[in-house]
Amino acid sequence: MPKLLPEPYASDRRGFLHGAAAIAAAVVGGAGPVQATMTPRSAGSTSTPFGPVKQIDAGVLSIGYVEMGPAAGPAVLLFHGWPYDINAFAEVAPSLAERGFRVIVPHLRGYGTTVFRSDDTARNAQQAALAADGLALMDALGIAKAIVAGFDWGARTADIMAVLWPERCIALVSVSGYLIGSQAGNIKPLPPQAELQWWYQFYFATERGKAGYAANTKAFNKLIWELASPKWNFDAAIYDRSAASFVNPDHVAIVIHNYRWRLGLAQGEAHYDAIEAKLAAAPPVTIPSITMEGDANGAPHPDPSQYRAKFTGSYEHRLISGGIGHNLPQEAPAAFAKAVLDVAKLAR
C-alpha cells in the first residue's frame, strides 16, 4: 500500500495555463511531481471561461451545469461546496478540457440554476441526497464512469459516490480527505477551540440564524470566504460572480437543512436510511485517490493522519503551500488540475 506522501506545491494562479501545459507534459512523459512557480497572492482574473449554463432533468432536480471538452473524452465531475459555486473551477475546467477530458461542473441543489422539479419535493440536503444527485446527473448525461473531484460539500459528495458506487467512479480527488460523517458521529462534543470553528453551524440551528442567513446571505458568505481563506486576496468581482449563485429559491432552505441534519435537528428522507446506515460505518474508499489540503485552510478540517486508513487503493496526499485556503481549486488551480491528471494516471 502506498505511503502517505505530503507534497508541497506552490500556487500559480496567474501563470496557470503555462503551468498546466508543463503538468500535462510531465504526466504524459511520466515525470515526477511538478512544483508550480510561486507568484504573488492575488485575486486573479475576473473573467470566466464558462459559456451558457445547460440544464438537464436528473432525478428530482433540473440541474444547471457547464460542460467543456470533447464529448468522447474521459469524464470528470467537479463538485463545489458551500458557500461557493461552479466558478471555483473556472480555471481548472478549461485546462482539463484542453487535455482531452469531458469536464462537467454542476451547481449543487440550492445553487445557481439547479432547481427542484416539483414544489412538493423535500428541500433535503443530507449527504446521501447530494451524492444521489451526482449519480443521477451521470445517468442523465449517459456517463458510465467518471473521475469525481471536489472540495467542501463537493468533496463529501465525491467521497460518498466513491464508496457507494465504485464501479461508476474511476478515481477520486478530495480536498480535506475523507469527509463522510453521520448524525450519530456528530453527537460527540469536540474540544472548545474546535467547536468555535463551527460557530455558523450552531447559528443555523436557531430560527434567528435561519432568518439572519436569509436576510444577509451575500454578506454572510463573504465572511465565510474571508475566514476560510485568510490569505486569499480575492476582489469584489470574483466574489460577486459566485454570489449570484446564492440567489436561488431553495438556497437558504438547503443550507439550513444541511447543517441541522448533521446535528440531528432535522430529518432526512426515509429512502436514504439504508445508505446513511452504510455511511455511518465509515466504509473505505477503494478506488485510486489523491487527497489535498491547503496550508492556510481556515475552515474546520481533519488532519490527514486521521483519514489515511480510509483510503485502501492507490493513494497520495498533497499539502499545497503558498497560503492556500479552503477554496483550493480557485486559489491553486494548477495544483488541483494536476491532481486530477495524476489520479487518472493512478487509475490506469
Side-chain angles (χ1 to χ4, degrees):
M1 181 180 297
K3 295 181 179 179
L4 180 65
L5 299 174
E7 299 176 21
Y9 288 84
S11 65
D12 182 7
R13 188 180 303 107
R14 290 177 177 173
F16 175 69
L17 293 179
H18 173 76
I23 289 168
V27 171
V28 172
V34 176
Q35 175 136 353
T37 302
M38 184 65 179
T39 60
R41 303 287 289 147
S42 67
S45 171
T46 60
S47 64
T48 175
F50 296 146
V53 175
K54 300 179 180 180
Q55 293 291 136
I56 192 167
D57 289 346
V60 300
L61 300 174
S62 171
I63 295 180
Y65 69 100
V66 294
E67 180 173 1
M68 306 182 75
V76 180
L77 271 64
L78 304 176
F79 298 106
H80 68 84
W82 172 82
Y84 306 96
D85 82 329
I86 61 174
N87 287 294
F89 300 102
E91 294 182 71
V92 173
S95 175
L96 295 176
E98 289 172 3
R99 307 282 86 77
F101 288 91
R102 180 187 181 187
V103 185
I104 309 294
V105 192
H107 282 293
L108 299 185
R109 53 172 63 192
Y111 295 80
T113 61
T114 293
V115 294
F116 288 85
R117 297 169 63 189
S118 171
D119 291 339
D120 297 329
T121 303
R123 271 40 180 178
N124 174 15
Q126 69 184 106
Q127 59 182 357
L130 272 71
D133 293 344
L135 187 67
L137 178 61
M138 289 179 64
D139 290 343
L141 293 173
I143 297 174
K145 296 183 178 182
I147 295 172
V148 290
F151 71 106
D152 195 80
W153 290 18
R156 182 175 297 106
T157 296
D159 289 348
I160 294 172
M161 292 177 69
V163 301
L164 293 180
W165 306 292
E167 73 281 0
R168 302 291 299 274
C169 299
I170 298 170
L172 167 71
V173 174
S174 179
V175 176
S176 298
Y178 190 93
L179 297 179
I180 300 171
S182 69
Q183 289 178 318
N186 288 333
I187 291 175
K188 184 178 180 181
L190 301 172
Q193 191 63 33
E195 295 281 23
L196 177 62
Q197 288 189 298
W198 287 108
W199 66 271
Y200 54 87
Q201 179 172 248
F202 302 117
Y203 181 64
F204 290 160
T206 69
E207 286 305 300
R208 176 187 176 92
K210 180 179 180 181
Y213 188 63
N216 304 290
T217 307
K218 185 175 180 179
F220 193 101
N221 290 345
K222 185 172 184 290
L223 175 62
I224 296 296
W225 277 40
E226 293 168 346
L227 295 175
S229 299
K231 296 186 179 181
W232 182 26
N233 188 29
F234 62 88
D235 61 22
I238 287 287
Y239 178 69
D240 288 347
R241 191 173 69 186
S242 290
S245 294
F246 311 146
V247 184
N248 177 292
D250 302 305
H251 179 76
V252 172
I254 288 298
V255 172
I256 297 300
H257 185 271
N258 180 282
Y259 288 103
R260 289 185 179 182
W261 179 87
R262 296 189 199 189
L263 295 176
L265 301 176
Q267 294 296 315
E269 293 178 88
H271 60 269
Y272 292 122
D273 286 353
I275 289 177
E276 292 294 354
K278 182 175 182 178
L279 297 176
V285 176
T286 60
I287 64 175
S289 302
I290 292 177
T291 60
M292 311 179 73
E293 192 59 80
D295 65 343
N297 186 358
H301 61 279
D303 185 271
S305 63
Q306 296 177 343
Y307 54 73
R308 173 62 187 94
K310 292 300 180 183
F311 295 88
T312 60
S314 300
Y315 177 75
E316 294 180 20
H317 177 75
R318 297 178 177 179
L319 176 64
I320 312 303
S321 66
I324 303 303
H326 192 60
N327 186 0
L328 195 151
Q330 196 164 2
E331 297 179 63
F336 193 90
K338 175 171 172 53
V340 174
L341 292 169
D342 287 350
V343 85
K345 188 176 180 182
L346 286 177
R348 291 176 184 171

